[in-house]
Structures are given as C-alpha cells and as structure tokens.
Amino acid sequence: MFTPLPFHTVSFVHVQSSIEPIMYITLSFCIALILRLFLSVTCFDISNILADMNRCKMFKFVNYIGKGCGVRFRSSWANFRKSCHDYDKYRRPVGSDLIAGLSQFYTGKQLKDLHILDVGCGTGLYGKALLDLGLGKMSLIDASKDMLSVASNKLATYIEQGCVLSLDHYQTPPLPYQNGSFDVVLLNMVIHHLDSVNGRTFPNAIRLLKEAEMCLKKKGIVAITTIPPSNAMNYWTSKQCYEFTHRTIQYFPSLDEYETMFIKSGLKSVQKLTFLGPGLICYENIIDSNGYLDQSWVNSACVFELATDEEMIAIHEKVHGLVQSGMWQQWTQENDTTEALGGVTLLVCHKD
C-alpha cells in the first residue's frame, strides 16, 4: 500500500489586539517575509510530486524531500531535463560486470544476496545492468525527477518483482538512509557534477563520500567510475576545441585528488582499473544526415553543456568539414587513443 509522505501545514490564526497600524503593517511584513523564506526552502511542487507518486505507486515509495539550503547533490552544470530522453541512446554501462564481480569478492557474498545503493542513478543504466546479472536488491537515488522517470519505466519489471526497494528523488548529501544499510554504494560518473572548480578542494564530493562510508555494511565497498583529466585527453572530442576541453577537465578530480578525498572520508582505495575504449559513450551513428554531430548524441554526452555557443558552432563546423572531405573516420582513429590508453576509470574503496 503506497502511502504519500505527509506535508507540513501552516495554520493562520486571527489575533485581535490594540497594535497601532504602523506596527501591524510591520508585523504583517515580517510574517510575509518568513513565509516567503519558508516556501523557498521547502521548494515543493505539489502537482509534479503527485504525478510522480502516481507513476511510481507500484513499489515502496518515492521520497520527495526538498532542501533549498546547505550542500546539495545536483549537477553544477548539466541539464538532465534536456538530456534524459537521449541519455541512453549512446551510453552503455561499462564495467558493470566487473563491478558485480568485485562486489562479491570484497563483501564475500553472492550477487543475489547483495543490496546495492546507486547514488546519482540517472536513467537506471547501471542499475538494470546489475539486476540483469542477478543482483538481489537495489535502491536508487537521484536529484533529477526527469531521469528518475526514465529509470522507473526501465526498471518496471524489477520493481514489480521486489528487487528494486526504492527509487528516491533526493538532493544529497546527506543520504537519507540508516548507517550500515548497504553492501555497495555506487557513484557512477557522479563526483564531477558536485563541485565548482574554484580551489579544487571538492567539499561536496568529500561530504558525499563520508555519507557513503557511513551507509556501508561491514566489508562493504564504494565503487566509483570517473574520467581522470589525463584520460580525458585520450578522447577525440578533446582535440576539437582546446578551450572547451580545458574548462571541462577542471570539474574532474585527478587520481591524486581522489586519494586525498578518500583519506578525508575514512575510505581506503583498494582498486584502480582503467577500461580500454571510449567507455560510457559509443561513437556509432553519431553523424546526422546533414553531416553534423547528431544532436541526440550531443545531448547524451552531457559534457557539451560546458561549451559556449561559439565553441559548439566551431565543433560542429570542424566535424562537418571532416565528413564532407571524407576524412572523418581517419581523423577520429588518429585522434582518439582510448582503445590504446583507456577512458573510464573504476575506483574501489572500503572502510579504512
């Protein structure tokens, strides 16, 4: 039985007094200001909440907890509302089989007995891949209702079977779970969305990693996929516009910076593995009928959100010129070294 989360109600009481008009106006202004601040903090959109609750009523619950203050887990640059419907067209859950194997190795449990939390689950790409491999239980959380809508449809069969325990809309940290709840916490291509580039101290990422560490059961692990700045230069896209590339890699921590974050979070790194090939994003059929980059591929990649309009025009024109000259395939083969040097890196940690 699905039970909606309760909403707090503010009651207004008429008070009779002999307050002078000017004092009454001042008091009314203060009350109005307080209510405005309250509404800006709660940030509830009731119509969207009820619609999403109805869509997800088939399983446990959907948490809608709005927080307009403090540190929030929401991308500092990506527009997932725009990309959610194109997100899976060119993406694949690279390393999901290895994540499944390492999870069993470090926890000492079979996959069917594991409970995994997917933080920043997006469209449920990794969640479905792991459930298809035989994962026993999964909980998913994301700050984008649009991405969660796609995930709920994708995982409908596993939701009905009871394998998906929750699909939560939540801005984090903190994580809304009890300590010691999960065998594995996944952070797939999440960390680079959390912080601005100023200072490269990554405070939001550190706080989230601390929360993940507390959520782990004994022998539990945190699994992170990322693209270190050194690997980013292996992609052909990095050669299209160097200003755009330089701006983009500022959001991605280096492996040394990850080590510092792990120490501050009470985690110990036990595995670092880089996958050969482009990784999450595939390159097949990315040119449209006019010889430009297909817009759905651009949306799927997300990272182009960091490009200026002028940079995007330049990138499209460069690609178009290569296609028109018949040099596109040769140029990408010469300028993309992910097959030899790798792209996506998997980091595995456990409690220190």
Side-chain angles (χ1 to χ4, degrees):
M1 182 72 180
F2 179 80
T3 305
L5 295 174
F7 289 89
H8 295 289
T9 303
V10 178
S11 299
F12 296 91
V13 180
H14 178 68
V15 179
Q16 292 182 342
S17 69
S18 58
I19 299 177
E20 292 294 328
I22 187 66
M23 296 179 64
Y24 183 83
I25 293 172
T26 302
L27 180 60
S28 299
F29 176 80
C30 292
I31 292 173
L33 181 60
I34 292 171
L35 287 175
R36 183 178 178 85
L37 290 171
F38 172 77
L39 291 173
S40 69
V41 169
T42 53
C43 299
F44 286 122
D45 183 337
I46 294 177
S47 62
N48 287 338
I49 291 171
L50 293 178
D52 285 337
M53 283 181 170
N54 183 62
R55 181 174 58 248
C56 301
K57 65 185 179 180
M58 66 188 77
F59 64 106
K60 184 180 174 184
F61 64 94
V62 178
N63 252 342
Y64 283 92
I65 306 175
K67 292 183 181 292
C69 58
V71 180
R72 300 180 297 168
F73 167 46
R74 174 174 288 175
S75 177
S76 60
W77 48 269
N79 182 357
F80 290 120
R81 174 166 291 183
K82 183 174 75 173
S83 64
C84 64
H85 298 296
D86 294 323
Y87 198 77
D88 289 342
K89 291 180 181 178
Y90 298 95
R91 286 185 174 248
R92 52 196 177 195
V94 60
S96 56
D97 52 349
L98 188 57
I99 291 171
L102 291 173
S103 297
Q104 295 175 91
F105 176 79
Y106 283 106
T107 62
K109 297 181 179 180
Q110 294 186 29
L111 193 60
K112 65 181 180 63
D113 298 320
L114 292 177
H115 186 187
I116 292 180
L117 171 65
D118 190 352
V119 179
C121 65
T123 62
L125 186 67
Y126 273 85
K128 185 176 186 302
L130 289 167
L131 289 163
D132 287 346
L133 289 171
L135 175 65
K137 297 178 183 178
M138 172 155 275
S139 297
L140 304 96
I141 183 170
D142 201 279
S144 169
K145 287 186 288 186
D146 300 284
M147 299 292 265
L148 286 172
S149 175
V150 177
S152 67
N153 292 327
K154 180 185 298 180
L155 300 172
T157 299
Y158 289 113
I159 290 169
E160 292 175 355
Q161 293 174 355
C163 298
V164 175
L165 301 188
S166 64
L167 188 63
D168 299 339
H169 176 251
Y170 195 86
Q171 297 177 11
T172 183
L175 292 172
Y177 307 102
Q178 293 182 350
N179 292 355
S181 298
F182 303 101
D183 297 292
V184 180
V185 176
L186 296 184
L187 295 166
N188 287 307
M189 304 302 290
V190 166
I191 296 297
H192 54 268
H193 286 288
L194 299 181
D195 290 283
S196 64
V197 298
N198 296 331
R200 298 192 67 84
T201 56
F202 305 103
N204 295 2
I206 291 171
R207 186 177 176 192
L208 181 58
L209 288 169
K210 287 180 179 178
E211 291 282 332
E213 188 271 341
M214 289 188 292
C215 286
L216 291 178
K217 297 179 180 179
K218 186 177 181 180
K219 293 185 178 182
I221 62 170
V222 176
I224 299 167
T225 56
T226 185
I227 301 176
S230 55
N231 290 7
M233 300 307 296
N234 299 333
Y235 290 85
W236 67 262
T237 51
S238 68
K239 282 80 171 181
Q240 285 285 314
C241 180
Y242 288 104
E243 294 82 2
F244 161 62
T245 300
H246 178 74
R247 185 183 313 114
T248 301
I249 63 177
Q250 298 305 308
Y251 289 86
F252 290 75
S254 67
L255 294 180
D256 287 340
E257 287 168 330
Y258 267 108
E259 285 295 336
T260 300
M261 288 191 285
F262 294 153
I263 292 171
K264 292 181 178 180
S265 306
L267 293 167
K268 181 178 180 181
S269 176
V270 293
Q271 289 283 356
K272 295 188 187 77
L273 305 164
T274 295
F275 302 107
L276 298 182
L280 287 170
I281 301 292
C282 64
Y283 294 157
E284 291 81 13
N285 303 316
I286 68 173
I287 304 299
D288 67 18
S289 58
N290 295 314
Y292 293 93
L293 286 175
D294 192 285
Q295 188 58 45
S296 62
W297 184 81
V298 173
N299 293 343
S300 176
C302 289
V303 72
F304 289 107
E305 292 287 336
L306 291 169
T308 65
D309 291 342
E310 292 77 11
E311 288 167 347
M312 281 307 305
I313 291 172
I315 291 170
H316 277 296
E317 290 301 326
K318 286 182 180 180
V319 171
H320 183 67
L322 288 166
V323 173
Q324 293 296 101
S325 66
M327 295 295 293
W328 168 245
Q329 293 294 339
Q330 180 180 335
W331 185 90
T332 53
Q333 290 173 3
E334 292 174 352
N335 288 274
D336 193 285
T337 55
T338 55
E339 291 291 348
L341 302 177
V344 174
T345 293
L346 172 64
L347 308 174
V348 179
C349 310
H350 61 49
K351 287 176 177 284
D352 193 1

